[in-house]
Amino acid sequence: MTALISPLSREAPKLKKNETSELLRFLDRFEEELKKASIVKDEEKIENVVRFVDGPLAREWEALDSFSSKDWDKFKKELEKNYPEALHDVRGAIEGLTQLSHRYNGINGYSKNTLATYSREFKTEWKQAKTALGERDGVMRYLSSLSEPFREKILSRLQTQREVKRQTNACLLQVMNGLKLTSDISPLRPLVKVDARDTVFREIKEELAQELNVLRDALKAMERQQIHTAEEVKDKSPSYIRTKGRQ
């Protein structure tokens, strides 16, 4: 079992008396840590949460009726009631995203643990900030903390996936419309010429190769069906029957 993160840890959720507008974000992060540590009892949750806030705030929370009842849901509701600014103020969340972009600036694809921590914290902040920011803004803010080479690889991969999907759909649409196609899908071939040494693209290279194989098989089957149908029509045509009869 994983132990609960230490309040002294740099990555631990923290809250001060003058930061109560960020209460909801703090509680979200704290509950994430509870899940990691497999803490499910309300009593343990309430006893631990005051360890992650400063002294003045801890004393206020310990004086609440719900703190003595050891009911976690009631405790959270009473906190929200006592700090209404936390329900409406998204400025703290937006500021939190800005701080994250500075704190985690330059993440590369090899820092898996750092990337996982950054993604988790970003998701927590985004829950509140998204009410004031658009989806595009959120994506750009997330990407801003990644190193330029890593960011470009991600964007390139997404673009490649979209292009393959677009061209594959176009080919399948032609098949559905009964058009004769060639199994030589030259427009798609350059998309799978990816450097095998690049681990970031290795997975997508395999996926694209599989998609091309499936598509080629479908096209070949379509061509065989067209040939078979043409032969059947020829066999049944009156002119062909008369010619065959004279032979």
Side-chain angles (χ1 to χ4, degrees), residues 46-91:
I46 293 176
E47 288 178 352
N48 277 291
V49 71
V50 291
R51 299 172 52 220
F52 293 82
V53 301
D54 64 7
L57 204 54
R59 287 190 289 274
E60 286 184 11
W61 290 11
E62 290 170 349
L64 298 175
D65 293 336
S66 57
F67 184 87
S68 301
S69 70
K70 305 303 180 184
D71 186 310
W72 178 245
D73 288 335
K74 288 183 179 179
F75 179 69
K76 289 194 298 180
K77 288 180 180 179
E78 190 168 6
L79 287 179
E80 293 173 4
K81 181 179 179 181
N82 280 270
Y83 306 101
E85 65 272 19
L87 299 176
H88 308 289
D89 191 1
V90 298
R91 289 177 296 177

Side-chain angles (χ1 to χ4, degrees), residues 62-222:
E62 290 170 349
L64 298 175
D65 293 336
S66 57
F67 184 87
S68 301
S69 70
K70 305 303 180 184
D71 186 310
W72 178 245
D73 288 335
K74 288 183 179 179
F75 179 69
K76 289 194 298 180
K77 288 180 180 179
E78 190 168 6
L79 287 179
E80 293 173 4
K81 181 179 179 181
N82 280 270
Y83 306 101
E85 65 272 19
L87 299 176
H88 308 289
D89 191 1
V90 298
R91 289 177 296 177
I94 297 174
E95 177 60 27
L97 291 176
T98 302
Q99 293 177 3
L100 283 178
S101 66
H102 293 309
R103 196 193 327 162
Y104 289 98
N105 186 43
I107 300 175
N108 58 54
Y110 301 100
S111 307
K112 293 183 178 180
N113 292 336
T114 303
L115 180 61
T117 301
Y118 167 65
S119 298
R120 184 177 65 252
E121 293 187 19
F122 186 94
K123 181 180 179 181
T124 300
E125 302 286 0
W126 182 247
K127 284 181 179 179
Q128 287 184 277
K130 66 182 179 181
T131 58
L133 302 175
E135 293 292 336
R136 179 178 176 80
D137 193 353
V139 171
M140 298 309 295
R141 283 174 178 268
Y142 179 85
L143 293 175
S144 67
S145 291
L146 309 183
S147 65
E148 185 174 350
F150 187 37
R151 183 167 60 246
E152 291 301 319
K153 286 180 179 179
I154 291 177
L155 293 175
S156 177
R157 174 171 179 170
L158 292 174
Q159 180 60 38
T160 300
Q161 289 176 326
R162 284 194 295 267
E163 182 64 16
V164 169
K165 183 177 181 180
R166 184 187 68 79
Q167 295 196 38
T168 300
N169 287 342
C171 291
L172 292 177
L173 181 61
Q174 288 182 314
V175 171
M176 288 187 290
N177 288 336
L179 302 177
K180 182 174 175 59
L181 296 174
T182 172
S183 58
D184 179 15
I185 315 171
S186 54
L188 289 175
R189 286 181 174 172
L191 295 177
V192 296
K193 291 183 179 179
V194 183
D195 188 351
R197 294 170 298 177
D198 192 335
T199 56
V200 176
F201 286 109
R202 186 173 299 162
E203 181 181 349
I204 190 172
K205 178 183 176 183
E206 295 174 355
E207 292 175 357
L208 295 181
Q210 291 176 359
E211 288 186 25
L212 287 175
N213 288 334
V214 171
L215 185 55
R216 288 194 185 97
D217 291 341
L219 295 176
K220 289 178 180 178
M222 186 66 180

